[in-house]
Every structure is written in C-alpha cells, then in structure tokens.
Amino acid sequence: MEAVKQGFLSSTGELAATPARQSRWESLIAQSKQAVARRRLAEAAGYLEEALAMAQADWPNSQRQAESLIRLADLRAALDRRDDALQHYGEAIGVLGDLPEGVNPHLAHAVSNMGRMCLLTGDQAKGRELAAAADALQRKLGQPDTPSIKLNLAMALAHAGEDAEVQTAFKAAVAALDQANPDDLQGIAVHDNYALYCLSRELVEEAEVLLRHCLILRQEAMGPRHPVYAGGLVNLARALHLFGDAQEEAEALLRQAKDIYDRGGGAAAFGILPALYYLARIAQQNHGNAEAGRLCNAMLDYGAGDERVARAAESASLHVTARLWAADGSDAAETEKRLGQALDLAESLDGGYRRLGVDIAADTMADLSNLMFEENRAPEAARLAARAVEMRGRLLWAVSRNVFMEPG
C-alpha cells in the first residue's frame, strides 16, 4: 500500500506544496480519524472539509484530493446524507480514474461504498453492479479481502435475490475481519447485517447465534453501559420477540436497554424508541394496558421537538393504541382508521428508523387483515396478509455508521 502511495506522489507532483502545507493536511486527516474514534462524526466532517479544500487548492486532481473526497463521503454516508455521499464518491472515482495509477485499493473502497449508497437509495441494479465491480477490483489488485467490501457485496446479492451466494459473501466478510483486525464497529456491522439477513429468511437460530456474539463484540468495544451495547440488546430482544418464544428474556433485555438509554440523557431519543415500542407491544399482549399507555406517552415525549423522531414515535404509538382500542371492543371503523394512520406513517419512515417502520407496517397490515376477515372482507384481508409477509421478508439492514469507514 505504501508503494502505491509513493507512486502517486511521484507521478502527480504532490510534493510541490510546502512541507508545512503537507503537514497540515496530514494533521487534518489524523484529527478526523481521532474524532471518528470518539464517535464525533460531525466534528470529523469539519476536519475533512478543510482537508478537501486544501487538497483542491494545493494538489488538484491528485491522490490526496481523492482520499479527502472518499473519507468525507464515508462520513456523509454515516450521517445519512446520501446525496452528498454519492456526489463525493463520484468525484473521487473520477479523480482516481484520471490518474496514471488510479486503480488502487482506495478506488475499490469508493466503488463499493457507492454501491451500498445506491442500495439505500433504491437503485438495486446499480448497487449490485458496483459492489461486484469493487470485489473484482480488489481481487485483481491481489489485496486481502476487506470486510466492508465483502459486506457490501453480500448485501447487494441479497437485494438481488441471489441467496445461493449471499451466505458465502457474509462468511467471507467474517473471515476478513479476522485477517484485517479493523475497527470494532465494523465487526459489529458485519455480524448485525448477517443476522438481519438470516431473520429475513427465517433462519432464526443462526440469527440468534450471530446477535448474541455481536452483543459480546459491542460490550468489548464500548462497555456494558453504552448506547452501542444497548442497541445490541434491542436487536437481540427484537429477534426473540418477533421470531421466537422467549418473551420473558426479550422483555428483560429491553428493560436493560431502556435503563442504559435513560441514563444517557437527551442523546438517547434516537435509540430508545424501538425499545419502548417493543416493550409497549409486550405489555399490550400481556394485558398490561395501563403500562402500554404509559410507554406510548413516553415515546411521544421522546419524539417532541424533532420532526424525524416525532413521526417514528407517532407511528409506534398509534399502532399500540389501536391495538388497545381494539382489545377494548371499540368501534371497528375507528380501529381501522387508527391502524391506517399508523401504517401510512410507518411506510414513510427512512434512515435510522426504517427497520422500526418495517416492523410497525408488517404488524399493522396483519392487524388490518385480521380485522377485515372478521368483517367478511376476505379479498382485502388476503391482500394485506400477503403484503405483511412480504414486508417482513425485506432485508432490514443494521444501522452502523462505521460500516462506511475505511479501516485504518
């Protein structure tokens, strides 16, 4: 890798800038890495914006400009700023393509992550094409497998329905972790996404093993009182609640996660909503209507003041209260109306709340289907039941900011 870098330096004239300017650029890159390690992504983006401006001024159309663009694109992707990320990846690929030795590991990384961004924005065909191209490029370069490139390939294959190859790609990503020794959160991302794929294919036992192992990785990375660990508790509890029969363990895990988020203060709103929603569902199923109501109010309180959080909180609360309304034997038309409102909101959720939205939507469709069967509306009921099954089978990727980050 160092030899590749030296080739770029000599062939593109990057040594023309003063040593002080070179040192400043390297310092900005180092500061951005430190900020990422501290999970301060917005701060890291500031350093990289300055590094990119410097590279464009001092080393236009160079390896340093491309590296600045790729690192900034990774951060934009991690912050769910998809359009910006796609633009930066495209610019970096263009710069590298014009360099004498532009085919290098940086190019493979940029192409792979651009492919994942295409998956997230709905362009599955292009995402599959780019992920496969990046994997082929890495093999052509004779480089060791990179966990993120193998993970992106696995996700693209899964989206394309090529199930025969998906597990091979996921297993290659796990093996690459052992070889590359990357950041802990990349290991978490690989295991989380592999588990979620298994759940989408009803491979529940395999998913549970992966999620329990991932919980160990989260604890080793951040400790047992950190929101990262709480997120793993919610993931495991979700699997046990939705796909298994260990409801008591699921409830205990969710309460542990809620306690961690509560201690985390105001920054916990994003992560705590799924924990509250699944707890409210369990309470309603156990006829704890008063507790379910309190949890719904808590969700709405957490959503206050942030439109993105508010929509997720309202959707989750509406679904649970509609169930409570129906359990009380209330008017079927009003129940259907509330379920319809919850469904509309759930299907509009994106970004970090997409998985929660899919869970709410799938169960809301199932509830609506049952309601319509009771009213002898068999065709509508059957259609919604089929949609619920389809929704549950979607690939619900883990939200891992660090999956986009280049190791090292």
Side-chain angles (χ1 to χ4, degrees):
M1 183 65 188
E2 190 59 32
V4 172
K5 289 183 178 179
Q6 291 300 324
F8 277 113
L9 290 174
S10 61
S11 63
T12 61
E14 290 194 24
L15 296 179
T18 66
R21 295 287 285 174
Q22 296 171 38
S23 178
R24 175 59 182 162
W25 183 86
E26 292 167 359
S27 175
L28 289 168
I29 296 297
Q31 286 175 292
S32 73
K33 291 181 181 180
Q34 292 171 4
V36 168
R38 296 193 300 269
R39 318 305 175 207
R40 298 177 180 174
L41 300 191
E43 179 183 330
Y47 292 129
L48 289 174
E49 287 168 357
E50 185 178 346
L52 175 59
M54 179 178 291
Q56 289 172 329
D58 289 11
W59 308 284
N61 301 314
S62 67
Q63 168 66 16
R64 289 188 180 183
Q65 181 180 348
E67 182 177 346
S68 301
L69 283 165
I70 292 170
R71 290 185 180 278
L72 187 55
D74 286 347
L75 277 165
R76 297 298 191 222
L79 294 167
D80 205 32
R81 293 175 57 178
R82 300 176 185 179
D83 291 342
D84 291 342
L86 280 169
Q87 179 182 339
H88 291 322
Y89 283 131
E91 291 174 4
I93 291 169
V95 170
L96 289 171
D98 289 337
L99 292 175
E101 300 176 31
V103 178
N104 67 73
H106 288 289
L107 179 60
H109 173 83
V111 170
S112 177
N113 276 357
M114 189 175 187
R116 185 176 186 208
M117 292 308 303
C118 290
L119 293 178
L120 292 175
T121 54
D123 192 344
Q124 297 182 8
K126 187 172 183 180
R128 166 73 172 83
E129 178 184 355
L130 290 171
D135 186 60
L137 176 57
Q138 188 168 62
R139 291 199 307 271
K140 180 179 179 181
L141 291 168
Q143 296 289 318
D145 287 342
T146 300
S148 63
I149 289 179
K150 286 296 184 183
L151 173 59
N152 290 343
L153 177 62
M155 295 162 75
L157 292 170
H159 273 290
E162 299 179 36
D163 287 1
E165 302 176 47
V166 174
Q167 293 220 34
T168 299
F170 272 120
K171 289 176 181 177
V174 173
L177 289 169
D178 296 333
Q179 298 296 321
N181 192 29
D183 185 283
D184 292 327
L185 291 192
Q186 283 215 342
I188 292 169
V190 169
H191 287 82
D192 265 351
N193 282 290
Y194 192 1
L196 291 172
Y197 167 76
C198 289
L199 288 178
S200 76
R201 298 301 186 265
E202 298 186 1
L203 303 171
V204 179
E205 291 183 4
E206 293 91 329
E208 184 178 342
V209 169
L210 287 162
L211 288 171
R212 290 188 185 281
H213 179 66
C214 194
L215 196 57
I216 295 171
L217 295 178
R218 288 172 178 266
Q219 181 172 341
E220 291 175 346
M222 306 302 294
R225 305 300 301 174
H226 195 279
V228 166
Y229 182 69
L233 293 170
V234 173
N235 285 347
L236 178 57
R238 172 185 177 274
L240 296 174
H241 171 57
L242 296 179
F243 300 93
D245 55 7
Q247 296 302 313
E248 290 186 4
E249 183 183 2
E251 183 176 0
L253 292 170
L254 290 168
R255 294 196 180 281
Q256 184 182 353
K258 179 180 179 299
D259 179 64
I260 295 171
Y261 284 128
D262 283 340
R263 292 171 183 268
F270 185 88
I272 198 171
L273 284 182
L276 294 174
Y277 171 64
Y278 299 127
L279 279 171
R281 284 168 50 119
I282 291 172
Q284 183 272 322
Q285 290 169 2
N286 293 336
H287 308 291
N289 293 359
E291 182 182 4
R294 285 194 296 271
L295 289 164
C296 286
N297 289 334
M299 283 189 278
L300 294 174
D301 288 342
Y302 275 105
D306 186 325
E307 181 180 354
R308 182 179 57 167
V309 181
R311 285 193 300 117
E314 185 179 0
S315 175
S317 178
L318 270 171
H319 181 224
V320 176
T321 55
R323 282 187 164 193
L324 292 171
W325 183 274
D328 285 341
S330 300
D331 181 68
E334 181 64 25
T335 299
E336 184 175 342
K337 177 182 175 182
R338 294 189 182 201
L339 287 171
Q341 292 171 336
L343 178 59
D344 288 343
L345 280 169
E347 291 191 301
S348 73
L349 298 180
D350 199 1
Y353 288 116
R354 182 170 181 269
R355 191 194 321 166
L356 178 63
V358 169
D359 281 345
I360 297 170
D363 278 352
T364 302
M365 288 176 192
D367 291 341
L368 282 167
S369 176
N370 292 334
L371 185 65
M372 290 174 183
F373 268 122
E374 292 174 2
E375 296 183 335
N376 297 317
R377 295 157 61 186
E380 292 177 83
R383 178 178 57 81
L384 280 168
R387 282 189 64 198
V389 171
E390 179 186 2
M391 181 72 75
R392 184 68 73 203
R394 288 185 182 178
L395 306 177
L396 312 178
W397 303 121
V399 178
S400 178
R401 291 171 165 177
N402 222 59
V403 73
F404 289 99
M405 302 300 176
E406 186 174 14

